[in-house]
């Protein structure tokens, strides 16, 4: 399955956010995903083998929950709509995917018993996946996920401790606005986005969670703080220096981070260039508009509609949509 290129070949007329579709169309998408996820969960050994054989899973040592859904046919046909369908409370596929995630996690930990394990912490689009791909071969298991919630991170640490593994915890730290821009850039390649409210929550809580994990009693682990800027990973600190570098920097509240992210997103919408030869993630932008504060949403929808009306006038393929 060529996941990345398949998204870029989704026909223009099908590039609609899941949330813009009729109830009947959304039910059909959910049903297909649920059937595929159930089939995968019903044959866990085969699914685990397929996961291990993925070129970017490092032979199953890299545990990344985003890789599992991308193995389903639906995510090959229209990734954006499929990822959005998973966000729908009426979609029951997520329970099967969580079941498979636990199987992949436990298999990786079983193979890594008593060996070095790397766990990433940080908000979405911080650059941890790039780090996981680069550092993965040096560890026997790598857990790449936006572990920003303290309870979830503590659960994961305890689960790793049960295997007597040597724990390495790396906080990948990217400015929230820079992470939002990186997320948009990634969406143009793979068709997947992160709701803006979730992005703000993760990036505001990640440093606080890191500092609390650094002082968890009876936990022996190496800790790192990696700063990421526009050019990629920057300075890395370790141990007490890592804790001090995070402790000393400003940690804005979630509401402040959300305000900054949404302001920047609207600014980008206002300055979109109507070039019909550029690939625009129209469905991604329509989905992201839904995650804005209500008082911003009408302006964002107007900007997006106006932009695609301009593209439609200049391109035979253009279609302003609803």
């Amino acid at each position: 399955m060529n996941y990345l290129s398949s998204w870029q070949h989704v026909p223009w007329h099908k590039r609609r956010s899941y949330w813009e579709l009729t109830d009947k169309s959304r039910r059909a998408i959910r049903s297909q995903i649920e059937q595929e996820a159930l089939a995968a969960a019903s044959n866990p050994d085969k699914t685990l083998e397929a996961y291990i054989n993925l070129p970017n899973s490092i032979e199953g040592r890299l545990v990344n929950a985003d890789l599992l859904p991308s193995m389903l046919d639906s995510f090959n046909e229209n990734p954006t709509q499929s990822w959005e369908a998973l966000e729908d409370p009426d979609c029951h596929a997520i329970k099967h995917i969580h079941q498979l995630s636990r199987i992949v996690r436990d298999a990786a930990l079983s193979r890594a018993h008593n060996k070095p394990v790397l766990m990433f912490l940080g908000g979405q689009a911080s650059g941890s996946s790039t780090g996981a791909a680069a550092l993965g071969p040096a560890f026997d298991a790598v857990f790449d996920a936006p572990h920003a919630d303290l309870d979830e991170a503590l659960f994961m640490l305890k689960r790793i401790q049960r295997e007597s593994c040597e724990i390495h915890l790396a906080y990948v730290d990217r400015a929230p606005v820079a992470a939002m821009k990186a997320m948009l850039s990634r969406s143009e390649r793979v068709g997947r986005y992160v709701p803006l409210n979730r992005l703000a929550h993760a990036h505001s809580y990640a440093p606080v969670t890191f500092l609390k994990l650094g002082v968890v009693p009876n936990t022996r682990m190496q800790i790192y703080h990696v700063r990421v800027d526009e050019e990629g990973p920057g300075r890395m600190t370790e141990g007490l220096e890592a804790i001090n570098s995070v402790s000393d920097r400003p940690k804005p509240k979630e509401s402040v981070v959300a305000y900054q992210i949404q302001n920047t997103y609207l600014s980008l919408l206002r300055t979109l260039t109507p070039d019909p030869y550029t690939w625009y993630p129209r469905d991604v932008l329509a989905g992201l508009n839904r995650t804005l504060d209500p008082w911003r949403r009408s302006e964002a929808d107007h900007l997006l509609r106006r932009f695609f009306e301009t593209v439609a006038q200049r391109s035979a393929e253009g279609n302003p949509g609803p």
Side-chain angles (χ1 to χ4, degrees):
M1 177 180 65
N2 196 342
Y3 174 47
L4 302 187
S5 64
S6 69
W7 176 80
Q8 295 182 352
H9 287 90
V10 174
W12 182 272
H13 68 280
K14 291 185 178 180
R15 295 194 54 76
R16 292 290 179 270
S17 170
Y18 167 87
W19 305 106
E20 295 177 302
L21 304 177
T22 63
D23 289 343
K24 181 179 179 180
S25 297
R26 290 201 298 268
R27 281 197 302 271
I29 293 173
R30 292 197 304 269
S31 177
Q32 182 177 350
I33 295 175
E34 289 165 1
Q35 291 175 28
E36 294 170 2
L38 175 60
S42 300
N43 197 340
D45 292 340
K46 181 179 179 181
T47 303
L48 178 60
E49 181 181 1
Y51 183 89
I52 291 172
N53 290 329
L54 287 174
N56 46 357
S57 76
I58 318 178
E59 298 179 336
R61 283 182 288 167
L62 172 61
V63 180
N64 184 329
D66 292 340
L67 290 179
L68 278 168
S70 67
M71 295 168 61
L72 304 180
D73 289 340
S74 296
F75 288 78
N76 189 34
E77 295 169 8
N78 195 319
T80 305
Q81 290 181 3
S82 298
W83 281 110
E84 290 178 316
L86 283 184
E87 301 283 339
D88 192 331
D90 291 329
C91 184
H92 304 298
I94 195 68
K95 65 180 180 182
H96 303 306
I97 292 174
H98 283 164
Q99 177 187 345
L100 291 170
S101 295
R102 290 192 294 270
I103 292 170
V104 169
R105 176 200 69 196
D106 292 345
L109 280 174
S110 179
R111 291 193 299 270
H113 182 73
N114 265 335
K115 297 174 183 176
V117 168
L118 175 63
M119 174 177 160
F120 282 103
L121 179 79
Q124 295 92 340
S126 290
S128 63
S129 294
T130 302
L135 298 174
F139 293 87
D140 288 86
V142 179
F143 295 91
D144 176 23
H147 294 110
D149 180 82
L150 180 60
D151 290 337
E152 291 180 3
L154 284 171
F155 172 83
M156 196 63 232
L157 282 179
K158 291 177 181 178
R159 182 63 189 85
I160 295 173
Q161 284 179 309
R162 281 167 48 187
E163 297 295 336
S164 302
C165 295
E166 176 187 310
I167 304 174
H168 295 255
L169 176 69
Y171 169 33
V172 184
D173 185 7
R174 184 178 231 158
V177 167
M180 188 271 291
K181 292 179 180 179
M183 179 270 292
L184 281 176
S185 177
R186 180 184 66 189
S187 76
E188 294 179 0
R189 300 191 305 273
V190 302
R192 177 169 59 88
Y193 65 86
V194 181
L196 298 179
N197 52 344
R198 186 178 304 163
L199 195 71
H201 176 82
H203 280 270
S204 60
Y205 276 85
V208 178
T209 296
F210 175 73
L211 292 175
K212 290 181 178 179
L213 291 179
V215 294
V216 172
N218 303 319
T219 301
R220 293 185 303 164
M221 62 182 173
Q222 306 277 349
I223 59 174
Y224 313 89
H225 175 218
V226 183
R227 295 300 300 267
V228 177
D229 53 28
E230 298 286 341
E231 287 72 38
R235 182 169 180 262
M236 183 182 79
T237 53
E238 302 181 35
L240 184 59
E241 187 181 0
I243 292 177
N244 289 338
S245 66
V246 177
S247 179
D248 293 343
R249 76 166 179 79
K251 289 173 280 298
K253 295 181 179 179
E254 181 178 351
S255 59
V256 175
V257 174
Y259 183 84
Q260 294 170 343
I261 288 175
Q262 294 190 23
N263 264 0
T264 303
Y265 174 76
L266 277 174
S267 295
L268 291 173
L269 279 185
R270 294 185 187 112
T271 56
L272 281 174
T273 303
D275 180 358
Y277 299 103
T278 301
W279 188 270
Y280 292 103
R282 181 241 180 268
D283 43 0
V284 168
L285 296 177
L288 280 170
N289 283 2
R290 292 186 70 258
T291 69
L292 291 165
D293 289 338
W295 61 279
R296 297 177 185 267
R297 201 173 300 162
S298 59
E299 179 189 359
D301 288 342
H302 169 72
L303 289 169
L304 186 60
R305 188 161 49 248
R306 185 182 67 181
F307 168 72
F308 278 96
E309 285 172 352
T310 304
V311 172
Q313 293 170 4
R314 300 189 182 188
S315 171
E317 283 190 322
N319 187 332

